[in-house]
């Protein structure tokens, strides 16, 4: 992507531009984390987006459509994710040493080594409260080349030395239906974005939960709720999205596109 290897991100500038600025500190409180890159570091041509994460309570900066989809996947209400860090810089003193040990060329721009980064580092809360941190590299399957795999080998060895697993996520293997549904509900996470107050949210929630045995599409069920409770059209659907995002209603987001499908709950 244009602008990715800006001179500020050369390996020799790591202390000045990463360490001194407190970037990429994985043990910082999630809402204080600073990524190596933000969307403003890139050309205005191409993918540019950012969004408020209800997991880390800050603006996150995916720098490609694929990274955006990966972040959405990890924002699924039942993913068990408690922290996510994007654009994580790798200390070049270690990546350069690893490259030499593996007999591989370190990533460089115009003859100068650059700071390598991992797309996502995600912390999961497992059974018993155990925290499990994993790193992820997201790639389009069509972009996989021998050189890409060499760079992945350096990245993999870096995280292995820190007892963290690095996984390669290909665009062709992402759960597209889940991602589409998370993108749909994410805008309704904040109750202040809803067209009603807390009292109505509670009423709609009770009504929807009591009618989840229906085989009708969710949009039709919510329309019936609007008519029954005398609400403006679309209110119950917005509230249902909110309650799904906040895990009050645990709808299955993997099987079908939410408004068109008969609602089903995830297994307890």
């Amino acid at each position: 992507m244009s602008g990715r290897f800006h001179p500020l991100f050369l390996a020799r500038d790591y202390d000045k531009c990463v360490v001194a600025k407190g970037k990429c500190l994985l043990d910082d409180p999630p809402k204080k984390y600073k990524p190596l890159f933000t969307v403003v570091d890139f050309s205005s041509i191409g993918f540019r987006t950012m969004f408020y994460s209800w997991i880390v309570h800050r603006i996150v900066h995916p720098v490609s459509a694929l990274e955006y989809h990966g972040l959405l996947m990890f924002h699924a209400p039942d993913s068990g994710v408690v922290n996510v860090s994007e654009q994580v810089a790798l200390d070049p003193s270690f990546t350069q040493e690893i490259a030499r040990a593996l007999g591989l060329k370190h990533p460089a721009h115009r003859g100068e080594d650059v700071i390598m980064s991992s797309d996502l580092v995600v912390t999961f809360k497992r059974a018993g409260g155990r925290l499990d941190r994993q790193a992820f590299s997201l790639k389009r399957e069509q972009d996989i080349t021998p050189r890409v795999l060499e760079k992945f080998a350096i990245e993999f060895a870096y995280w292995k030395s820190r007892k963290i697993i690095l996984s390669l996520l290909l665009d062709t293997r992402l759960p597209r239906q889940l991602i589409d549904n998370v993108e749909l509900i994410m805008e309704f996470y904040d109750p202040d974005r809803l067209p009603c107050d807390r009292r109505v949210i509670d009423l709609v929630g009770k009504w929807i939960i009591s009618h989840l045995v229906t085989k009708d599409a969710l949009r039709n069920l919510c329309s019936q709720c609007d008519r029954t409770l005398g609400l403006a059209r679309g209110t119950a659907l917005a509230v249902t999205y909110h309650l799904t995002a906040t895990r009050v209603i645990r709808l299955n987001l993997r099987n079908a596109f939410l408004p068109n499908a008969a609602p089903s709950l995830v297994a307890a």
Side-chain angles (χ1 to χ4, degrees):
M1 181 180 292
S2 176
R4 187 173 181 89
F5 296 126
H6 189 281
L8 289 178
F9 305 134
L10 294 175
R12 58 179 167 81
D13 294 326
Y14 179 76
D15 287 342
K16 178 176 68 175
C17 297
V18 178
V19 178
K21 293 185 177 181
K23 291 184 175 183
C24 305
L25 299 175
L26 296 178
D27 293 323
D28 265 1
K31 66 180 179 180
K32 292 185 178 296
Y33 174 82
K34 300 176 184 177
L36 177 61
F37 305 110
T38 65
V39 296
V40 299
D41 296 315
F42 293 81
S43 166
S44 60
I45 300 174
F47 182 88
R48 287 169 63 88
T49 194
M50 51 186 161
F51 66 92
Y52 184 81
S53 165
W54 64 65
I55 292 176
V56 295
H57 303 291
R58 63 173 175 83
I59 300 296
V60 294
H61 294 264
V63 297
S64 71
L66 181 53
E67 290 175 23
Y68 173 62
H69 292 155
L71 278 166
L72 290 180
M73 177 180 68
F74 290 122
H75 276 73
D78 288 291
S79 64
V81 172
V82 295
N83 193 8
V84 59
S85 303
E86 74 280 21
Q87 316 307 330
V88 182
L90 311 184
D91 187 335
S93 65
F94 290 101
T95 58
Q96 289 167 330
E97 180 181 345
I98 290 169
R100 287 192 293 269
L102 295 177
L104 300 174
K105 182 180 178 181
H106 192 278
H109 179 62
R110 295 181 180 176
E112 290 200 62
D113 286 354
V114 298
I115 298 171
M116 297 183 66
S117 63
S118 288
D119 297 322
L120 299 174
V121 176
V122 181
T123 303
F124 299 88
K125 190 172 185 179
R126 305 301 190 188
R130 178 178 64 87
L131 297 180
D132 177 25
R133 183 177 285 170
Q134 297 182 32
F136 296 90
S137 176
L138 291 94
K139 296 284 187 285
R140 296 191 306 171
E141 187 172 32
Q142 68 187 59
D143 293 336
I144 299 298
T145 64
R147 178 55 181 157
V148 166
L149 294 177
E150 287 179 354
K151 290 188 284 188
F152 179 80
I154 297 171
E155 189 181 355
F156 182 89
Y158 179 94
W159 287 113
K160 184 178 180 181
S161 70
R162 286 154 176 73
K163 295 181 171 55
I164 292 175
I165 295 173
L166 172 69
S167 298
L168 178 62
L169 294 182
L170 298 178
D171 61 333
T172 54
R173 303 300 297 273
L174 293 181
R176 293 293 175 180
Q177 193 61 75
L178 173 66
I179 290 167
D180 287 346
N181 282 329
V182 173
E183 187 173 33
L184 181 67
I185 69 173
M186 65 184 293
E187 294 186 25
F188 299 92
Y189 181 88
D190 185 349
D192 292 338
R193 307 274 309 262
L194 298 177
C196 58
D197 58 21
R198 185 74 253 177
R199 180 187 66 84
V200 173
I201 293 174
D202 291 340
L203 285 174
V204 170
K206 291 177 182 177
W207 194 97
I208 293 295
I209 290 172
S210 68
H211 290 77
L212 282 177
V213 293
T214 181
K215 298 300 182 182
D216 206 355
L218 182 62
R219 67 167 73 253
N220 296 335
L221 177 65
C222 289
S223 292
Q224 182 183 347
C225 179
D226 287 336
R227 292 192 297 270
T228 301
L229 300 181
L231 303 174
R233 184 178 179 181
T235 299
L237 189 59
V239 170
T240 300
Y241 290 161
H242 166 74
L243 296 177
T244 301
T246 55
R247 301 182 74 240
V248 175
I249 298 177
R250 298 181 63 190
L251 293 183
N252 190 328
L253 302 182
R254 291 181 175 271
N255 289 347
F257 192 50
L258 269 187
N260 302 328
S264 62
L265 298 175
V266 298

